[in-house]
Amino acid sequence: MSEKIKVGISIGDVNGIGLEIIIKTLADSRIYDYCTPIVYGHTKVASFHRRATHVNELNFQVINDPSQVQYKKPNMINCWDEDVKIELGSVTETGGKYAFKSLERATFDLKEGYIDALVTAPINKDNIQSDQFNFPGHTEYLQERDGAAESLMFLVSDTLRVGVVTGHIPIAKVAESITIEKILAKLKLMNHSLQNDFWIRKPKIAVLGLNPHASDNGLIGSEEKDTIIPALEEARNHDIMAFGPYPADGFFANGTYLQFDAVLAMYHDQGLIPFKQIAFESGVNFTAGLSFVRTSPDHGTAYDIAGKNLASEISFREALFTAIHIVKHRRETLELNENPLVFTKLSRDRD
């Protein structure tokens, strides 16, 4: 039982659907055959949301730290002592404050190795801002906490995997942010993740153009010729099978993405809009390139349906299982590489 994967769960904005989808997911007892979940929040807040979702049979086991975890049960670490005013569907300072308290404690335990993976429920990227959290989103915060030079926002599903060169930045800054070095760095992260996290031996990666029609040979912009194509040539020198650049519209419309293991988009909406259209309920946001495993559902706080028992837990459940699979793949990869067979050159000599 001590080898059971411990998955930490941050609750996100207390006024959103985070705890609703967490509770609905953990109400399925089959989850505990695969992992031991630890929710970072507070039992009073969880009870409020549990009543709203009519899941009365789910009881959290309160623990002080992951070493006290109770297997085959949902665990809860109380991250604060005071009462919290919940205003479902509202954007409040309180929602951001306690979302950060949950995330901060869960990230600490993740970095220390007390838990094996982290699944983050949705935050509001505005009301969580503070002196302690000055980041565009989860991805950038976790990259900084990990001390990683780069990370990759990687949206994954059974049929489609999409990463982005530029993440949470204004559209006006996209073109100037795209460089040969940036594209190459993201391709390296994507290729490594596909091999080690998803066990694809020789990944095929499609790269999208920045401009309409991938510039039509320079008629609509020069970024493809000056930046993207040289980056692809350099990637192939690093034994990365990267192809393109492809016009983004037709690439998704005609199903070309099905011929590749992953797609690298130039900017956030170029990749995420088609991804969410194709795999909205089953999609998962995975932060590749970090020393630890973090996933999340591919949707936001959904204030408009908070507290109405309408939120689907499918994406959150997929995020939980994706985290479990990636942890297992990384563990097995380490085991396979610990004692590799000694290479011996066969002799052609005959007696």
Side-chain angles (χ1 to χ4, degrees):
M1 295 296 288
S2 63
E3 295 303 313
K4 187 77 72 173
I5 294 172
K6 296 177 183 177
V7 180
I9 299 171
S10 61
I11 63 173
D13 194 309
V14 296
N15 295 320
I17 63 168
L19 270 164
E20 178 179 339
I21 58 178
I22 291 169
I23 289 167
K24 287 179 175 178
T25 299
L26 300 186
D28 188 339
S29 61
R30 292 173 295 181
I31 293 292
Y32 307 102
D33 292 333
Y34 301 95
C35 73
T36 300
I38 305 172
V39 179
Y40 290 78
H42 199 284
T43 48
K44 287 184 178 180
V45 176
S47 295
F48 183 96
H49 283 269
R50 190 181 61 189
R51 289 191 295 271
T53 55
H54 308 297
V55 181
N56 298 317
E57 66 275 12
L58 184 71
N59 294 306
F60 286 99
Q61 309 300 310
V62 180
I63 60 175
N64 294 319
D65 61 71
S67 68
Q68 300 175 348
V69 74
Q70 297 192 40
Y71 298 98
K72 292 287 185 179
K73 295 178 181 179
N75 296 267
M76 172 79 72
I77 292 178
N78 288 333
C79 298
W80 56 82
D81 297 322
E82 64 273 19
D83 291 334
V84 175
K85 183 180 181 181
I86 299 175
E87 301 175 71
L88 290 173
S90 299
V91 181
T92 67
E93 182 181 342
T94 296
K97 175 181 178 180
Y98 291 97
F100 177 68
K101 283 182 177 288
S102 169
L103 177 63
E104 182 182 39
R105 176 65 189 275
T107 304
F108 175 83
D109 285 352
L110 182 66
K111 275 187 58 61
E112 293 298 317
Y114 301 149
I115 56 177
D116 301 303
L118 173 63
V119 182
T120 58
I123 59 172
N124 180 314
K125 295 177 177 63
D126 181 28
N127 70 2
I128 197 174
Q129 298 298 319
S130 67
D131 292 339
Q132 293 77 37
F133 189 100
N134 187 21
F135 302 91
H138 277 119
T139 302
E140 295 80 5
Y141 171 77
L142 291 166
Q143 178 182 328
E144 193 275 339
R145 289 296 306 273
D146 190 43
E150 278 282 0
S151 66
L152 176 71
M153 185 188 299
F154 207 6
L155 281 294
V156 300
S157 72
D158 289 339
T159 58
L160 177 61
R161 301 180 188 90
V162 176
V164 293
V165 176
T166 60
H168 298 120
I169 65 172
I171 195 73
K173 295 184 178 181
V174 168
E176 67 185 50
S177 301
I178 294 174
T179 64
I180 295 173
E181 294 75 20
K182 189 80 168 177
I183 295 172
L184 182 60
K186 298 297 184 180
L187 282 170
K188 287 180 178 179
L189 286 179
M190 180 178 283
N191 191 67
H192 183 267
S193 180
L194 289 168
Q195 290 176 330
N196 292 275
D197 298 328
F198 297 94
W199 279 19
I200 300 172
R201 184 172 176 269
K202 194 66 177 176
K204 289 176 59 181
I205 301 172
V207 178
L208 302 181
L210 173 65
N211 296 295
H213 309 295
S215 85
D216 269 343
N217 292 320
L219 293 175
I220 315 172
S222 61
E223 285 82 4
E224 283 74 13
K225 179 181 178 182
D226 295 341
T227 305
I228 300 175
I229 292 174
L232 293 178
E233 293 171 350
E234 185 64 24
R236 287 190 280 271
N237 291 334
H238 287 82
D239 202 28
I240 298 172
M241 294 177 63
F243 304 88
Y246 294 95
D249 53 354
F251 181 85
F252 291 102
N254 61 23
T256 306
Y257 67 89
L258 294 170
Q259 302 173 21
F260 296 90
D261 298 301
V263 182
L264 183 65
M266 291 296 110
Y267 58 95
H268 184 281
D269 284 10
Q270 186 188 52
L272 270 64
I273 288 175
F275 180 87
K276 292 188 177 185
Q277 182 68 29
I278 294 167
F280 182 67
E281 281 207 329
S282 62
V284 173
N285 181 8
F286 166 52
T287 307
L290 303 183
S291 64
F292 47 69
V293 176
R294 175 262 172 166
T295 64
S296 73
D298 70 344
H299 57 72
T301 53
Y303 290 124
D304 57 320
I305 60 171
K308 299 178 181 179
N309 200 20
L310 297 175
S312 170
E313 74 277 16
I314 294 175
S315 182
F316 186 88
R317 185 172 62 236
E318 289 296 322
L320 181 64
F321 278 110
T322 298
I324 294 168
H325 290 318
I326 292 173
V327 169
K328 287 184 175 180
H329 285 167
R330 289 189 179 186
R331 285 181 176 178
E332 290 176 22
T333 298
L334 285 174
E335 291 176 5
L336 290 171
N337 290 331
E338 276 182 353
N339 296 297
L341 294 174
V342 177
F343 176 76
T344 303
K345 187 175 181 180
L346 295 176
S347 173
R348 292 178 180 270
D349 296 338
R350 295 180 179 178
D351 294 330

